[in-house]
Amino acid sequence: MSAPERIPPRSVTTADLLAHGELTVRGRIREASNAALFCTVAYEGQEASCVYKPVAGERPLWDFPDGTLAGREVAAYEVSEATGWQLVPPTVLRDGPYGEGMCQLWIDVVPGAELLALVDDEEPGPGWKAIGLAEVGEGRTALLVHADDERLRRLAVLDAVINNADRKGGHLLPAEGGRLYGIDHGVTFNVDDKLRTLLWGWAGEPLTDEAVRVLGTLKETLEDGGALAGRLAGLITPAEIDATRARVDALLASGRHPEPGGEWPAIPWPPV
């Protein structure tokens, strides 16, 4: 009688770990405006740090009456994955110690990456893009700039698609291996234009060929019956999915990065 075939152990993916692991709360992230808990998650011998934001800890927003912050955070991750750019840390919707919420992989920031700066010149130097003038105290102003970085440019396109109303400097996380992640996507996908961001440096400029290709892929997968449309169902409303389709169509039709609309503050406050 031959020995039974040995079945190799199944590898644990980050999604498995976040979705099925045991969450242990280690502390609260006090800088967050809604309940955000620093946790560890353990599953089948694997462990990682993560952020858990329970729906029960969300403050109601008059201009986002439908859905939840947690659902929109996961939806932003799904769109990011569909672009292939992987700009949002792995994020799932799951039950936890305080009920259903968003669980996102913790990203350790690599210090020293200069993405934002204040300069005294009227124009940005080489390698930088202008955002606008900022008050720096004692009646002085300085030019706020961001790096002319392809990772930020991709994030600017993603923000335009998901209609991000809160892209602050503190939401940009440089990570190991030259990676850049964006976090805090709870105020996204509104049906009205609410784009507020620090990444206006490319406003009105032509989209890159890469961005046009990615937007074309998003258009296909957002169609009724498309994979991304299916993943977004239940996370955001049908009207918000339709509005996302319309934003993708508008970007493809214009072929350019969007410009501030004027009816909504273009830069979030505080900006960092």
Side-chain angles (χ1 to χ4, degrees):
M1 181 177 179
S2 61
E5 181 181 358
R6 182 178 182 274
I7 300 175
R10 182 177 66 89
S11 60
V12 176
T13 66
T14 303
D16 290 334
L17 182 60
L18 293 173
H20 306 298
E22 181 180 357
L23 273 177
T24 302
V25 176
R26 302 297 184 184
R28 181 167 184 173
I29 302 172
R30 298 193 178 278
E31 297 84 0
S33 56
N34 294 274
L37 304 174
F38 177 72
C39 302
T40 54
V41 59
Y43 183 65
E44 294 190 358
Q46 301 292 319
E47 185 171 300
S49 299
C50 62
V51 178
Y52 162 55
K53 297 181 181 180
V55 172
E58 296 180 4
R59 297 178 181 178
L61 298 173
W62 67 268
D63 52 343
F64 284 82
D66 300 315
T68 64
L69 303 182
R72 290 189 286 271
E73 293 243 31
V74 179
Y77 166 71
E78 293 290 356
V79 175
S80 169
E81 288 298 285
T83 67
W85 288 333
Q86 297 181 320
L87 294 167
V88 178
T91 313
V92 302
L93 194 66
R94 59 161 293 169
D95 195 29
Y98 299 102
E100 185 178 62
M102 177 276 279
C103 185
Q104 184 176 83
L105 185 69
W106 179 268
I107 301 299
D108 289 318
V109 174
V110 174
E114 286 193 272
L115 300 175
L116 299 168
L118 285 167
V119 297
D120 291 328
D121 298 327
E122 295 182 359
E123 297 292 334
W128 296 91
K129 305 290 283 187
I131 303 170
L133 293 174
E135 294 185 7
V136 293
E138 299 180 356
R140 293 179 55 243
T141 60
L143 184 65
L144 182 61
V145 298
H146 66 68
D148 188 1
D149 185 309
E150 68 173 6
R151 301 169 302 171
L152 290 179
R153 190 165 190 173
R154 289 169 176 168
L155 195 57
V157 174
L158 176 66
D159 283 343
V161 170
I162 67 176
N163 197 16
N164 192 351
D166 196 32
R167 175 60 71 206
K168 298 176 179 176
H171 299 166
L172 305 173
L173 305 184
E176 290 183 351
R179 297 294 303 273
L180 177 72
Y181 293 100
I183 60 169
D184 284 353
H185 298 106
V187 285
T188 50
F189 295 102
N190 202 294
V191 296
D192 298 322
D193 181 13
K194 290 185 179 292
L195 184 60
R196 290 196 305 174
T197 176
L198 286 178
L199 304 180
W200 287 116
W202 298 281
E205 292 187 15
L207 296 166
T208 64
D209 291 341
E210 178 196 44
V212 172
R213 290 195 299 272
V214 165
L215 289 167
T217 299
L218 286 181
K219 178 180 174 65
E220 293 179 3
T221 195
L222 277 168
E223 292 176 353
D224 285 335
L228 180 56
R231 290 195 293 272
L232 294 181
L235 296 172
I236 58 177
T237 68
E240 289 167 336
I241 296 175
D242 286 342
T244 303
R245 294 185 181 112
R247 287 190 295 270
V248 171
D249 288 343
L251 287 166
L252 286 169
S254 71
R256 295 181 178 274
H257 286 268
E259 298 181 78
E263 297 182 2
W264 182 256
I267 296 176
W269 187 261
V272 177

